Amino acid sequence: MLLEYKTVYEGGQGEIVEKKSRFIATVQPISSEEQALEFIEAVKKKYWDARHNCFAYVLGERHELARFSDDGEPGGTAGKPMLDVLLGEDIHNVAVVVTRYFGGTLLGTGGLVRAYSGAVKAGLADSLIITRTAGVKLKVGTDYTGLGKIQYILGEKKIAILDSVYTDKVELICMVPSAELEIIKGELIEGTNGRAVLEEGDACYFANIGGEIKILED
């Protein structure tokens, strides 16, 4: 399991114009090849009157599945450059369709590559891209004398506190990146002279979206 990777949380749309040809990029997050193909067909139906609907998509933690299509454009001028943008940005589980309305002027091989690549970049710029981070919910129990030290450690490490319960003692629910879990646990135990009670929850993925920590579904 990758400890973190970039993906699209909300798809977007971008458009560029080259010599009166319109290139419209539609971006969509995907979780399966079936979902990717359904998305591609939906875009083709929406832009049924366009000259070309080229696509590229990638799936898997290590881009195990990658597909593209030039949809009638000269070989290597559309789908592959589109895929190269996705791989170059290291974005996972995403599909993009670039729709071309021909403007009457041929762009040439280099012009097409630039146009299709540029359209994908515009589409990604209009999308909400997040970093999915592998993490663990960590429950931290303490008495009030240890609270200040625990809050200091969590603040220094930029560990998000999801919830807190104050009774005769304090319980904090934190989201800790998996890569930092053992280090954080060690610092909490050392910082409270072993008085902190730590309990690990389930592993999950999370992301900082608009300044808020959100637990993500697989």
Side-chain angles (χ1 to χ4, degrees):
M1 182 175 74
L2 287 181
L3 294 178
E4 65 176 31
Y5 62 91
K6 288 196 298 183
T7 189
V8 173
Y9 186 70
E10 292 178 356
Q13 191 170 77
E15 178 177 340
I16 65 172
V17 178
E18 291 288 342
K19 295 182 180 179
K20 297 183 180 180
S21 280
R22 294 174 62 204
F23 294 83
I24 306 166
T26 307
V27 179
Q28 177 78 20
I30 55 173
S31 57
S32 67
E33 186 167 26
E34 180 182 16
Q35 197 175 63
L37 296 176
E38 289 175 355
F39 161 68
I40 292 164
E41 287 305 310
V43 175
K44 286 182 175 181
K45 287 181 180 178
K46 180 179 179 180
Y47 297 109
W48 59 271
D49 57 338
R51 177 72 67 90
H52 305 281
N53 282 291
C54 307
F55 69 78
Y57 60 88
V58 289
L59 273 166
E61 289 187 348
R62 305 188 185 283
H63 304 302
E64 291 89 348
L65 182 64
R67 299 280 187 271
F68 63 86
S69 168
D70 294 312
D71 193 36
E73 292 281 31
T77 63
K80 183 60 164 59
M82 291 167 61
L83 179 64
D84 287 343
V85 172
L86 299 181
L87 295 176
E89 296 289 337
D90 197 24
I91 298 177
H92 300 245
N93 300 339
V94 60
V96 59
V97 178
V98 174
T99 302
R100 181 188 184 189
Y101 284 96
F102 185 55
T105 302
L106 296 176
L107 300 184
T109 299
L112 286 172
V113 170
R114 286 190 296 273
Y116 278 100
S117 299
V120 174
K121 291 176 182 177
L124 291 176
D126 189 59
S127 304
L128 177 54
I129 297 173
I130 62 172
T131 298
R132 287 175 61 103
T133 302
V136 174
K137 281 186 179 180
L138 182 66
K139 182 188 292 185
V140 183
T142 180
D143 55 28
Y144 282 86
T145 59
L147 180 59
K149 183 64 175 181
I150 289 172
Q151 290 176 324
Y152 174 78
I153 293 171
L154 296 178
E156 281 286 294
K157 296 294 184 179
K158 296 182 172 57
I159 301 300
I161 298 176
L162 304 180
D163 196 12
S164 54
V165 179
Y166 296 88
T167 55
D168 57 329
K169 59 180 181 177
V170 183
E171 281 189 354
L172 304 177
I173 307 298
C174 310
M175 179 52 67
V176 182
S178 298
E180 301 177 39
L181 181 60
E182 294 307 317
I183 294 174
I184 296 298
K185 287 168 61 178
E187 291 197 13
L188 291 173
I189 291 171
E190 182 180 353
T192 60
N193 294 318
R195 293 196 307 274
V197 179
L198 308 180
E199 182 181 335
E200 292 182 32
D202 294 334
C204 62
Y205 275 102
F206 71 95
N208 186 325
I209 302 174
E212 180 182 353
I213 298 298
K214 290 191 177 183
I215 309 301
L216 305 173
E217 297 180 2
D218 291 333

